[in-house]
Amino acid sequence: MLPKDTNAHGTIFGGVILSYIDMAGGIECRRQFPKKFVTKAMHEVVFVAPVYLGDLVTFYTRAVRIGSTSITVDVEVEVERLGIGGTKEIVRVTEAEVIYVAIGGDGKPVTISS
């Protein structure tokens, strides 16, 4: 993470992480189907550890439900704290379930198929 993403306490804004969660989930949708997807809902997101300046953040995604027009994606967020002297620590930061809907050119839901 970079200095522009930090708050007054030196940690990364939660909204920045939420934005990356949304992007990572959207990429998972495109891996599954070549459609345009929009975010419908993001279920409860609880931050269990802070993200610090310099942390390497990784987003793991997996489709957990595929409906006729929507995909639900689970996104797990971990950070690698790169310490001085070569030490490193992996810390789970948060997890979110995000629902995306496939839309057509008119902005209305369209059927997805495999």
Side-chain angles (χ1 to χ4, degrees):
M1 298 306 305
L2 300 171
K4 67 179 179 60
D5 302 319
T6 60
N7 60 30
H9 303 290
T11 58
I12 305 304
F13 283 111
V16 170
I17 300 300
L18 292 176
S19 175
Y20 284 121
I21 287 171
D22 194 21
M23 285 190 279
I27 291 168
E28 179 63 26
C29 291
R30 288 289 298 190
R31 284 181 174 155
Q32 302 293 325
F33 301 98
K35 303 281 186 185
K36 179 179 180 182
F37 288 90
V38 294
T39 307
K40 169 82 172 171
M42 187 178 289
H43 291 196
E44 181 180 57
V45 179
V46 176
F47 292 95
V48 297
V51 178
Y52 296 107
L53 181 64
D55 281 352
L56 176 62
V57 185
T58 305
F59 299 82
Y60 298 99
T61 62
R62 65 185 173 91
V64 293
R65 278 188 297 285
I66 298 175
S68 60
T69 62
S70 66
I71 300 178
T72 302
V73 178
D74 183 65
V75 183
E76 295 180 19
V77 183
E78 290 183 350
V79 298
E80 184 175 346
R81 302 204 197 283
L82 304 171
I84 297 174
T87 62
K88 65 180 178 179
E89 175 185 18
I90 304 294
V91 178
R92 183 177 169 276
V93 173
T94 192
E95 181 176 358
E97 188 176 83
V98 190
I99 301 169
Y100 299 88
V101 175
I103 61 168
D106 60 358
K108 299 196 188 284
V110 296
T111 302
I112 53 178
S113 59
S114 48

